[in-house]
Amino acid sequence: MKAHDGLYIDGAWRPAAGRDTIEVVNPVDEQVIGHVPAGTALDVDTAVRAARAAFPGWAATPPAERAARLAALRDVLAARKDEIAETVTAELGAPLAFSQAVHAGVPVLVAGSYAELAATYAFEEKVGNSTVYQEPVGVVGAITPWNYPLHQIVAKVAPALAAGCTVVLKPAEDTPLTAQLFAEAVAEAGVPAGVFNLVTGLGPVAGQALAEHPDVDLVSFTGSTAVGRRIGATAGAAVKRVALELGGKSANVILPSADLAKAVNVGVANVMSNSGQTCSAWTRMLVPAERYDEAVELAAAAAAKYGDRIGPVVNAKQRDRVRGYIEKGVAEGARLVAGGPESPREQGYFVSPTVFADVTERMTIAQEEIFGPVLSILRYEDEADALRIANGTVYGLAGAVWAGEESEAVAFARRLDTGQVDINGGRFNPLAPFGGYKQSGVGRELGAHGLSEYLQTKSLQF
């Protein structure tokens, strides 16, 4: 697509206040593919004012009509699926087939789920002699990451619109073209002017201005835990609501009774998906000591198949960061059984699919989020040891448990300090709440739980 040279504010593409722009670079060949405006605090203020002005009308719009606009948005996203996939591939580097199935496909499901929820959700209920209303929070500042550029936008904007909120979106500067496509889809779906607004820009400028703006009632942020802490502190000072989806270091726990080959192969695929740029990736594989060598051999063989099947990471900074973690793993005594820090290609921001064995729980690569195609395999002695290791990080976003009997896996999963666990390879569910324990965040996305983040409660007594 051709990049817009303006910002989408109050239903139209408008020039930014300043002249600075942001280069959009294809991470496969390192070529500039477009430029977008670097929005300023003044642009954010203009967008927030538009959202504030549109809020009373949108909040008063019957839920059935809000549902109709979301259904129309779903249909537009579905009709433009190929264009979306090509755009994501161009600015993120994901293989086209993955972009079509996941980056373009999943947001259609999520938008559709909120069209249905907006039409059926109980925004009003009787409780004894009271009537309890669920009302929209107000103006939402949505700050989204680059790793799943459209999904993360839809997972915030769709429930906000379903609730009756208006939105100002600040997307990641690495993948702004996908956000511009979304703004086009919103307009095509007939969402009223001012209900959705888009300001492209840098995090420390536009993102910070959005988080600090006094007329923003809720900040929904997905990204690093470090930035999430700053946003949380800013919101706390203003007694402003936040929804934070942050980092992860998820454990893939393979119990002794599990189908080891299946668990290892699915686990490796999970880590390599999206070039490892997934906050919920199972980057720690926990294996019983008596089957450890077998698991390492299986994982190394599985990783070798991904050498030419995954795309690059998003930019040079991220590539160097991931390579730095690989080098640190070697320096701390972990054993490379696949991949390594060397670049597999002369051009592009590629990182080799990497697997470490002999990883101990306190190593840096077992504690910190790497956000690249890097798997650490840890051994455990018994189930209590596995649980201690699995829960032994500051994160608690996702995870997996494998066992011969589902009930055994469920019993273990219930003791994990994490927000979502896949049992024996359970499928993605767009209606299930997603979010973390501990430093992985505050609040939930997706489904009815995601909708409730954008609502506040009022009761009238009779």
Side-chain angles (χ1 to χ4, degrees), residues 4-9 13-14 16 20-22 24 35-41 43-44 47 168-180 183 197-203 205-207:
H4 288 277
D5 59 4
L7 309 172
Y8 186 76
I9 298 175
W13 293 97
R14 304 173 184 274
D20 290 344
T21 62
I22 298 170
V24 185
H35 295 80
V36 298
T40 66
D43 295 311
V44 169
V168 177
L169 169 67
K170 206 299 286 184
E173 49 265 37
D174 291 290
T175 53
L177 303 184
T178 301
Q180 289 189 341
N197 306 273
L198 169 67
V199 178
T200 53
L202 301 175
V205 180

Side-chain angles (χ1 to χ4, degrees), residues 342-355:
E342 298 79 13
S343 176
R345 303 192 191 184
E346 292 184 2
Q347 188 178 47
Y349 309 130
F350 289 88
V351 177
S352 295
T354 298
V355 177

Side-chain angles (χ1 to χ4, degrees), residues 68 80 161 228 394:
R80 301 183 70 172
L161 299 189
V394 298

Side-chain angles (χ1 to χ4, degrees), residues 19-99:
R19 295 184 177 181
D20 290 344
T21 62
I22 298 170
E23 286 187 345
V24 185
V25 177
N26 185 323
V28 173
D29 60 16
E30 305 179 44
Q31 299 301 303
V32 176
I33 58 174
H35 295 80
V36 298
T40 66
L42 180 58
D43 295 311
V44 169
D45 182 65
T46 303
V48 172
R49 288 176 183 274
R52 176 59 64 193
F55 173 67
W58 185 245
T61 300
E65 175 57 24
R66 299 201 297 261
R69 294 306 98 217
L70 285 166
L73 177 61
R74 172 201 61 204
D75 294 343
V76 173
L77 293 175
R80 301 183 70 172
K81 184 176 177 180
D82 288 344
E83 182 183 6
I84 291 167
E86 290 167 2
T87 301
V88 174
T89 290
E91 61 183 356
L92 181 64
L96 185 58
F98 187 79
S99 290

Side-chain angles (χ1 to χ4, degrees), residues 304-326:
K305 299 175 183 177
Y306 287 89
D308 57 358
R309 289 167 54 185
I310 65 173
V313 295
V314 70
N315 55 37
K317 180 180 178 181
Q318 184 65 13
R319 176 199 60 197
D320 294 344
R321 178 179 183 272
V322 175
R323 287 182 184 170
Y325 272 109
I326 295 172

Side-chain angles (χ1 to χ4, degrees), residues 34-231:
H35 295 80
V36 298
T40 66
L42 180 58
D43 295 311
V44 169
D45 182 65
T46 303
V48 172
R49 288 176 183 274
R52 176 59 64 193
F55 173 67
W58 185 245
T61 300
E65 175 57 24
R66 299 201 297 261
R69 294 306 98 217
L70 285 166
L73 177 61
R74 172 201 61 204
D75 294 343
V76 173
L77 293 175
R80 301 183 70 172
K81 184 176 177 180
D82 288 344
E83 182 183 6
I84 291 167
E86 290 167 2
T87 301
V88 174
T89 290
E91 61 183 356
L92 181 64
L96 185 58
F98 187 79
S99 290
Q100 290 170 332
V102 177
H103 287 295
V106 171
V108 174
L109 296 177
V110 174
S113 74
Y114 280 112
E116 295 177 8
L117 271 170
T120 59
Y121 192 83
F123 291 98
E124 176 183 337
E125 64 174 333
K126 290 285 188 179
V127 180
N129 65 307
S130 302
T131 301
V132 179
Y133 297 91
Q134 299 294 322
E135 300 181 341
V137 169
V139 175
V140 172
I143 303 173
T144 55
W146 45 260
N147 60 325
Y148 289 90
L150 184 60
H151 169 65
Q152 297 288 359
I153 290 171
V154 172
K156 296 181 187 305
V157 176
L161 299 189
C165 297
T166 55
V167 180
V168 177
L169 169 67
K170 206 299 286 184
E173 49 265 37
D174 291 290
T175 53
L177 303 184
T178 301
Q180 289 189 341
L181 269 180
F182 180 77
E184 292 178 1
V186 167
E188 191 174 340
V191 175
V195 171
F196 170 81
N197 306 273
L198 169 67
V199 178
T200 53
L202 301 175
V205 180
Q208 183 172 336
L210 186 58
E212 294 177 348
H213 200 289
D215 277 338
V216 170
D217 300 294
L218 182 150
V219 180
S220 180
F221 169 78
T222 297
S224 72
T225 297
V227 176
R229 288 193 194 100
R230 293 198 294 271
I231 289 175

